[in-house]
Short mmCIF file of all heavy atoms in Angstrom, two decimals:
data_model
loop_
_atom_site.label_atom_id
_atom_site.label_comp_id
_atom_site.label_asym_id
_atom_site.label_seq_id
_atom_site.Cartn_x
_atom_site.Cartn_y
_atom_site.Cartn_z
N ASP J 24 40.97 65.96 110.50
CA ASP J 24 41.53 67.21 111.11
C ASP J 24 42.87 67.53 110.53
O ASP J 24 43.25 68.74 110.26
CB ASP J 24 41.58 66.91 112.59
CG ASP J 24 40.24 67.10 113.27
OD1 ASP J 24 39.35 67.57 112.69
OD2 ASP J 24 40.15 66.69 114.50
N LEU J 26 44.24 66.74 107.61
CA LEU J 26 44.10 67.14 106.25
C LEU J 26 43.63 68.58 106.07
O LEU J 26 44.09 69.46 105.35
CB LEU J 26 43.23 66.22 105.44
CG LEU J 26 43.85 64.85 105.29
CD1 LEU J 26 42.65 63.81 104.90
CD2 LEU J 26 44.80 64.83 104.15
N ILE J 27 42.50 68.87 106.93
CA ILE J 27 41.93 70.29 106.95
C ILE J 27 43.03 71.21 107.43
O ILE J 27 43.23 72.34 106.85
CB ILE J 27 40.73 70.34 107.82
CG1 ILE J 27 39.57 69.50 107.22
CG2 ILE J 27 40.26 71.74 108.08
CD1 ILE J 27 38.75 70.09 106.13
N THR J 41 30.05 52.63 113.32
CA THR J 41 30.86 52.92 114.54
C THR J 41 31.38 54.36 114.55
O THR J 41 31.82 54.77 115.67
CB THR J 41 31.98 51.91 114.71
OG1 THR J 41 32.80 51.97 113.47
CG2 THR J 41 31.49 50.54 114.91
N GLY J 42 31.34 55.01 113.44
CA GLY J 42 31.70 56.43 113.49
C GLY J 42 30.75 57.23 114.22
O GLY J 42 29.59 56.84 114.30
N ARG J 48 31.78 67.03 114.40
CA ARG J 48 30.80 68.14 114.68
C ARG J 48 31.53 69.53 114.52
O ARG J 48 30.97 70.46 114.01
CB ARG J 48 30.18 68.09 116.05
CG ARG J 48 29.15 69.11 116.35
CD ARG J 48 28.69 68.97 117.85
NE ARG J 48 28.13 67.70 118.26
CZ ARG J 48 26.82 67.31 117.86
NH1 ARG J 48 26.04 67.96 117.06
NH2 ARG J 48 26.55 66.02 118.19
N THR J 64 29.95 49.86 100.77
CA THR J 64 29.65 48.73 100.10
C THR J 64 28.63 49.03 98.98
O THR J 64 28.43 48.27 98.06
CB THR J 64 29.02 47.66 101.03
OG1 THR J 64 27.76 48.19 101.66
CG2 THR J 64 29.94 47.25 102.08
N THR J 72 29.02 64.16 93.47
CA THR J 72 28.58 64.96 92.34
C THR J 72 28.94 66.51 92.48
O THR J 72 28.78 67.17 91.56
CB THR J 72 27.03 64.96 92.18
OG1 THR J 72 26.45 65.07 93.46
CG2 THR J 72 26.64 63.52 91.60
N SER J 74 30.50 69.92 92.27
CA SER J 74 31.39 70.35 91.16
C SER J 74 32.83 70.36 91.71
O SER J 74 33.07 70.80 92.82
CB SER J 74 30.92 71.75 90.72
OG SER J 74 31.13 72.75 91.73
N LEU J 84 39.47 54.09 105.32
CA LEU J 84 39.48 53.62 106.73
C LEU J 84 38.07 53.20 107.24
O LEU J 84 37.86 53.07 108.37
CB LEU J 84 39.96 54.78 107.71
CG LEU J 84 41.38 55.22 107.58
CD1 LEU J 84 41.54 56.26 106.55
CD2 LEU J 84 41.85 55.67 108.98
N SER J 89 37.02 47.03 116.03
CA SER J 89 37.08 46.38 117.35
C SER J 89 36.34 45.08 117.27
O SER J 89 35.27 45.00 116.75
CB SER J 89 36.48 47.35 118.23
OG SER J 89 36.22 46.57 119.55
N PRO J 91 34.35 43.15 119.12
CA PRO J 91 32.86 43.08 119.41
C PRO J 91 32.04 43.77 118.28
O PRO J 91 30.94 43.34 117.98
CB PRO J 91 32.71 43.67 120.74
CG PRO J 91 33.98 44.29 121.26
CD PRO J 91 35.05 43.83 120.28
N SER J 128 47.47 45.00 111.37
CA SER J 128 48.23 43.89 111.87
C SER J 128 47.55 42.55 111.97
O SER J 128 48.16 41.53 112.10
CB SER J 128 48.75 44.26 113.31
OG SER J 128 47.63 44.53 114.12
N PRO J 138 59.32 40.05 116.02
CA PRO J 138 58.18 40.84 115.60
C PRO J 138 57.66 40.62 114.20
O PRO J 138 58.41 39.89 113.49
CB PRO J 138 58.74 42.26 115.90
CG PRO J 138 60.23 42.07 115.62
CD PRO J 138 60.59 40.71 116.11
N VAL J 147 46.51 33.06 109.98
CA VAL J 147 45.13 33.44 110.23
C VAL J 147 44.23 32.20 110.11
O VAL J 147 44.36 31.43 109.22
CB VAL J 147 44.65 34.53 109.12
CG1 VAL J 147 43.23 34.86 109.26
CG2 VAL J 147 45.52 35.81 109.27
N LEU J 171 47.25 47.97 91.34
CA LEU J 171 48.64 48.58 91.29
C LEU J 171 49.42 47.84 90.08
O LEU J 171 49.86 48.51 89.18
CB LEU J 171 49.43 48.38 92.55
CG LEU J 171 50.87 48.97 92.59
CD1 LEU J 171 50.73 50.44 92.48
CD2 LEU J 171 51.56 48.49 93.77
N ARG J 182 49.77 48.80 107.19
CA ARG J 182 49.31 47.81 108.21
C ARG J 182 49.39 48.41 109.53
O ARG J 182 50.35 48.55 110.09
CB ARG J 182 50.16 46.47 108.10
CG ARG J 182 49.91 45.79 106.75
CD ARG J 182 50.60 44.49 106.69
NE ARG J 182 50.30 43.84 105.41
CZ ARG J 182 51.14 43.04 104.78
NH1 ARG J 182 52.33 42.73 105.39
NH2 ARG J 182 50.89 42.56 103.59
N ILE J 183 48.15 48.76 109.99
CA ILE J 183 48.04 49.48 111.23
C ILE J 183 47.98 48.59 112.51
O ILE J 183 47.18 47.68 112.49
CB ILE J 183 46.82 50.43 111.25
CG1 ILE J 183 46.91 51.40 110.00
CG2 ILE J 183 46.62 51.21 112.48
CD1 ILE J 183 45.69 52.25 109.84
N THR J 204 37.86 53.27 130.93
CA THR J 204 36.47 53.65 131.34
C THR J 204 36.10 52.83 132.66
O THR J 204 35.50 53.36 133.61
CB THR J 204 35.44 53.30 130.34
OG1 THR J 204 35.59 52.00 129.83
CG2 THR J 204 35.53 54.21 129.13
N ILE J 212 38.20 45.82 136.57
CA ILE J 212 38.93 45.83 135.25
C ILE J 212 39.01 44.51 134.74
O ILE J 212 39.38 43.55 135.43
CB ILE J 212 40.29 46.53 135.43
CG1 ILE J 212 40.17 48.00 135.73
CG2 ILE J 212 41.21 46.25 134.33
CD1 ILE J 212 41.43 48.76 136.13
N THR J 213 38.58 44.32 133.48
CA THR J 213 38.41 42.99 132.88
C THR J 213 39.71 42.64 132.04
O THR J 213 39.91 43.21 131.01
CB THR J 213 37.19 42.90 131.94
OG1 THR J 213 37.23 43.93 130.98
CG2 THR J 213 35.87 43.06 132.76
N ILE J 275 41.51 44.32 139.51
CA ILE J 275 41.78 43.62 138.24
C ILE J 275 41.13 42.25 138.29
O ILE J 275 41.37 41.45 139.29
CB ILE J 275 43.15 43.60 137.91
CG1 ILE J 275 43.71 45.07 137.76
CG2 ILE J 275 43.56 42.67 136.80
CD1 ILE J 275 45.05 45.30 137.17
N ARG J 289 53.91 42.69 117.81
CA ARG J 289 54.75 43.89 117.88
C ARG J 289 55.21 44.18 116.38
O ARG J 289 55.71 43.27 115.77
CB ARG J 289 56.08 43.59 118.73
CG ARG J 289 57.12 44.73 118.49
CD ARG J 289 58.01 44.77 119.77
NE ARG J 289 58.75 43.62 120.02
CZ ARG J 289 60.01 43.42 119.71
NH1 ARG J 289 60.76 44.24 119.08
NH2 ARG J 289 60.64 42.28 120.03
N ALA J 293 61.20 48.81 110.72
CA ALA J 293 62.44 49.28 110.03
C ALA J 293 62.06 49.86 108.57
O ALA J 293 62.67 50.75 108.17
CB ALA J 293 63.35 48.08 109.86
N LYS J 297 62.88 53.50 107.14
CA LYS J 297 63.80 53.65 105.99
C LYS J 297 63.11 54.26 104.77
O LYS J 297 63.68 55.30 104.28
CB LYS J 297 64.26 52.23 105.57
CG LYS J 297 65.33 52.23 104.52
CD LYS J 297 65.89 50.79 104.27
CE LYS J 297 66.33 50.76 102.82
NZ LYS J 297 66.16 49.44 102.12
N LEU J 299 59.84 55.84 104.75
CA LEU J 299 59.06 57.09 105.03
C LEU J 299 59.75 58.00 106.02
O LEU J 299 59.31 59.15 106.16
CB LEU J 299 57.73 56.70 105.72
CG LEU J 299 56.82 55.73 104.93
CD1 LEU J 299 55.60 55.43 105.71
CD2 LEU J 299 56.55 56.28 103.51
N ALA J 324 30.44 65.07 130.70
CA ALA J 324 29.27 65.47 129.82
C ALA J 324 28.10 64.60 130.07
O ALA J 324 27.02 64.99 129.99
CB ALA J 324 29.78 65.32 128.36
N SER J 334 24.84 60.17 119.50
CA SER J 334 24.38 60.79 118.15
C SER J 334 24.61 59.80 117.03
O SER J 334 24.35 60.10 115.84
CB SER J 334 25.08 62.06 117.97
OG SER J 334 26.48 61.74 117.82
N VAL J 347 26.11 51.10 124.96
CA VAL J 347 26.49 52.37 124.30
C VAL J 347 26.70 53.41 125.45
O VAL J 347 25.86 53.58 126.27
CB VAL J 347 25.40 52.81 123.19
CG1 VAL J 347 25.45 54.32 123.09
CG2 VAL J 347 25.61 52.08 122.03
#
Side-chain angles (χ1 to χ4, degrees):
D24 283 346
L26 292 162
I27 294 278
T41 54
R48 188 185 300 283
T64 61
T72 48
S74 62
L84 288 92
S89 166
S128 57
V147 173
L171 179 71
R182 293 191 180 144
I183 300 175
T204 51
I212 288 173
T213 54
I275 293 189
R289 168 156 61 100
K297 187 169 154 221
L299 306 175
S334 64
V347 157

